[in-house]
Amino acid sequence: MSFNSLAIEEILMIPKPAQQARSDGRRDFWNQFYESSAESWELSLPSQFAAFVANEIDRKAHVVDIGCGNARDSFFFSRHGFLVTGLDASEVAVASAREHTKTQGGDGLEFAITNLKDGMVQQVLSNRRAKAVCIYARFFLHAITDDEEDSLIDALHEGCQPGDIVAFEYRTLADRDTTKVAPPHFRRYLCAAELDEKMKQFQFTKRYGVEGVGFAKYKAEDAIVARAIYEKGL
């Protein structure tokens, strides 16, 4: 485990009960966040990353949107003909997304809850609904712990087939001290080279990568992020 990729909270030696409390606190934060925005929910524009990825993958692919949140990117992919499975740890987010599929979603759009350690990712991948699969995770890796990241990559290694695509966008180490718009909450800051090496160890070859600003600008915040596309090898 690299020191540089750790969040401030991760640097301390935190007892397991405190780790569980922090995990519960993160889930509570996001449940409250999505609860507060439920009444004003509207089908918003997709992220820049979703539009980018949609042009890079097979138009008949099954997109697995991990950390789907308010599901704006899940709905975007669905509206453009992709089969989509949205996964999130927030019960509120998943319930809201399911409710809005009644008016905004297609037959190929579904949602489920996962904590990354319950086997749901592997189950979704084993029940793939298309020959081509794209694992899509925007602003997710930096919102989970190192241990959860390991669980996710283990699941992708186990469940992905050769040729499957993994698309990540996440905050880098350089973004640690930049202006943030959202309320303070748990974040990690990742080293792209370290993630590339880890993915390589699990048989994922990097096909594209870039790091900088201008990819995820939102109001006064212009996050320093990395984008990467990997392909599962033999």
Side-chain angles (χ1 to χ4, degrees), residues 11-56:
I11 295 174
L12 305 176
M13 297 299 293
I14 303 176
K16 287 187 177 180
Q19 292 181 25
Q20 181 60 47
R22 186 183 60 191
S23 178
D24 293 341
R26 285 186 294 133
R27 186 171 62 251
D28 290 345
F29 171 87
W30 288 112
N31 277 334
Q32 292 172 12
F33 178 87
Y34 294 119
E35 186 84 45
S36 66
S37 60
E39 293 186 2
S40 60
W41 190 95
E42 62 179 351
L43 191 58
S44 58
L45 295 171
S47 68
Q48 298 173 46
F49 189 51
F52 166 74
V53 171
N55 281 303
E56 297 292 321

Side-chain angles (χ1 to χ4, degrees), residues 135-152:
I135 305 298
Y136 174 86
R138 177 191 178 271
F139 270 45
F140 180 67
L141 289 183
H142 61 251
I144 60 177
T145 65
D146 288 303
D147 186 49
E148 289 166 337
E149 178 187 293
D150 289 341
S151 295
L152 172 60

Side-chain angles (χ1 to χ4, degrees), residues 148-167:
E148 289 166 337
E149 178 187 293
D150 289 341
S151 295
L152 172 60
I153 295 177
D154 282 341
L156 299 185
H157 173 65
E158 178 182 332
C160 286
Q161 297 180 6
D164 286 350
I165 297 298
V166 176

